[in-house]
Amino acid sequence: MAWCKRGFCAADIAELMGLKEPSVRFHMQGARRKLGANNIQQAIGTATDHRLI
């Protein structure tokens, strides 16, 4: 989520972490759901507001 906040897309994060892009998307969606957000941008805002990232 912190890398998304800095402008990295799922493909960039996957390459940096040595993962497949679908895995990154899967975990980002899990974080989004847990934060109660409707989309990733809202999840990033919520995580920032709660000082999680």
Side-chain angles (χ1 to χ4, degrees), residues 9-39:
C9 66
D12 295 334
I13 296 167
E15 186 176 332
L16 288 168
M17 296 185 71
L19 301 170
K20 303 261 183 190
E21 186 176 347
S23 295
V24 173
R25 290 185 187 278
F26 173 79
H27 290 291
M28 290 296 294
Q29 290 301 323
R32 179 193 60 78
R33 280 192 302 275
K34 288 181 180 183
L35 289 167
N38 294 320
N39 56 51

Side-chain angles (χ1 to χ4, degrees), residues 2 5 7 15 21 37 39 41 51 53:
K5 181 180 177 182
E15 186 176 332
E21 186 176 347
N39 56 51
Q41 291 79 11
R51 299 180 190 250
I53 56 172

